[in-house]
Amino acid sequence: MLAVPETGLQGLYIGSSPERSPVSSPPGSPRTQESCGIAPLTPSQSPKPEARVPQQALFSVVVAIDFGTTSSGYAFSFASDPEAIHMMRKWEGGDPGVAHQKTPTCLLLTPEGAFHSFGYTARDYYHDLDPEEARDWLYFEKFKMKIHSATDLTLKTQLEAVNGKKMPALEVFAHALRFFKEHALQLREQCPSMPEKDTVRWVLTVPAIWKQPAKQFMREAAYLAGLVSRENAEQLLIALEPEAASVYCRKLRLHQLVDLSGLAPRGGRLGERRSIDSSFRQAREQLRRSRHSRTFLVESGVGELWAELQAGDRYMVADCGGGTVDLTVHQLEQPHGTLKELYKASGGPYGAVGVDLAFEQLLGRIFGEDFITTFKRQRPAAWVDLTIAFEARKRTAGPHRAGALNISLPFSFIDFYRKQRGHNVETALRRSSVNFVKWSSQGMLRMSCEAMNELFQPTVSGIIQHIEVLLAQPEVQGVKLLFLVGGFAESPVLQHAVQAALGARGLRVVVPHDVGLTILKGAVLFGQAPGVVRVRRSPLTYGVGVLNRFVDGRHPPDKLLVRDGRRWCTDVFERFVAVEQSVALGEEVRRSYCPARPGQRRVLINLYCCTAEDARFITDPGVRKCGALSLELEPTVSGSDPAGAHPGRREIRAAMQFGDTEIKVTAVDVSTNRSVRAAIDFLSN
């Protein structure tokens, strides 16, 4: 049975088999209390599909927020014209030569921790602060990756600002989301048809490789930011980034794509960049309407790539963002054009920030890692200035560029180094073992193109390796098309490397125009039709611990538990869904539970997960507690139990859905047929 430490209540399964088996205790918990018993209500471990009546849309607009590692943005569309996607024309303060329809994921808080600004405004204001004053301000950048890398993510997880000060990560994310909420809802001046707040469906993008705790964390941040209330949780959808890109890519017209495979080789090289650039310009012009406002671009008349694709065709989407590479493989289903996931989401921390980290390590080799650490801490605004200078040069890097690149060092860096080390940066470069970075007579770091491209290699190689591993899986054989999307996919270095590595195996590598906005546009379309991805693959095996009848020779002796003369095997892992199992939208895994005592107000059941399909016990290596299913019960009214002959045996039927972007649960009190408040908490571990 499952103990609930704070209340002493137990949550127990109930079933109809002759030998009912009670729920297993966590290791170390008492096993002497009464129990009702357990048995699956369905004979099969596979969830049975349940017919569901489609619900009518109760919203008039979808607002999608693409919350990225390096840049973020939002877009929206109306239910009356769902494929007309409205996007920001330009964020104020953008860098020359960089698209401004998204803004840097930079947050600036006052020394007291209050919100000051976000995006270009935050970056520029922080950059212009007096160095001594800047030490007290809290500036956060690229903080999304912290949620991905945290192994013990909770609502109390802390984030560190550039100056070393910490604050709760939940508050940092909530500040950012609140900024986008307020920005979107204040646009009624330019867009009078923008509806009231309570008719908005919000969509928030996250990497598909994120685990359930990270997804729940983003939802909690959205609640704190006021996007939606807990009572109207269905107004917020979590969209998986490569899925959103896939939803958009499958509806593109052919002139909106650049086929890297189709560029004529020239001396073993890809064709000139002019071919790609001109295609981007043509596509962009064709997608502009004459009735644009001063604030928004509107993309409309979305075509259908499946004029070329047929039912059953398979394609891969590689979302190469700032923090991660996120891969998904979809199969097109006809006649409705829905999508089926063929393999669980995969990828890793191989985003554009990997190039930034490689540059930071290069600076450490030249000037000393201890100096770079001290400089970042004591001159945080100047460090931001240096990263901006590198970002501008990074975007110009290409596999066949001729000529070196100059990177400006802030005067603060040069002056601080001389005071710390007693000699100048030119001397440091001359003494270092790094031969491909020189000191320019103009007072800049001068880096050869080969050296710049070398900074890309670890990250680019990681992306290609992940794609090749996924292509080798038997479940995805037959993939002929690869969509390269995400902000990092704009890089000619990455495009060339992917085409060189994968083009020879017959894979068409395709880049949509405005590739950095693909996920944002797809998230809007997903919000209008969230059922477009009909089948997904479970990334993990999920289940609970139960007691089964002990069988000599099959169960280990140390698992034997004798209760009331009966022999039980404890800690048995009962599987709800297996890793890589296909689960369709609306399919439910049903289990029934019974409170251990009359009047019990809460049932709490631990959930376990693992990467193995055949785990036997919750104590097996790799099996870990990942969350808890909570059922909040209303007090029973005397005489309301139709099964009055069994006082206290109150059956609560829970239905879990594993086919959506988040694991969902609903529950019903069988005796009254009334809903029971049910939730799964992945952040309480």
Side-chain angles (χ1 to χ4, degrees), residues 525-545:
L525 295 176
F526 178 82
Q528 294 285 3
V532 62
V533 182
R534 193 186 63 84
V535 179
R536 293 183 175 87
R537 298 276 184 145
S538 177
L540 294 168
T541 298
Y542 290 96
V544 294

Side-chain angles (χ1 to χ4, degrees), residues 123 126-127 141-142 356 359-364 367 371-372 375-376 379-394 406-414 425 439 443-445 447:
R123 189 197 69 179
Y126 184 67
H127 171 264
E141 61 178 357
K142 300 172 184 173
D356 303 336
F359 176 65
E360 184 177 333
Q361 291 168 0
L362 176 65
L363 294 178
F367 302 107
F371 169 77
I372 297 300
F375 178 72
K376 287 171 63 178
R379 297 288 187 273
W383 173 254
V384 171
D385 195 20
L386 177 54
T387 61
I388 293 171
F390 174 71
E391 176 68 22
R393 308 313 295 152
K394 182 178 74 173
N406 289 332
I407 300 173
S408 300
L409 284 180
F411 172 77
S412 177
F413 184 99
I414 297 171
V425 294
W439 183 246
M444 302 181 182
L445 292 179
M447 181 180 294

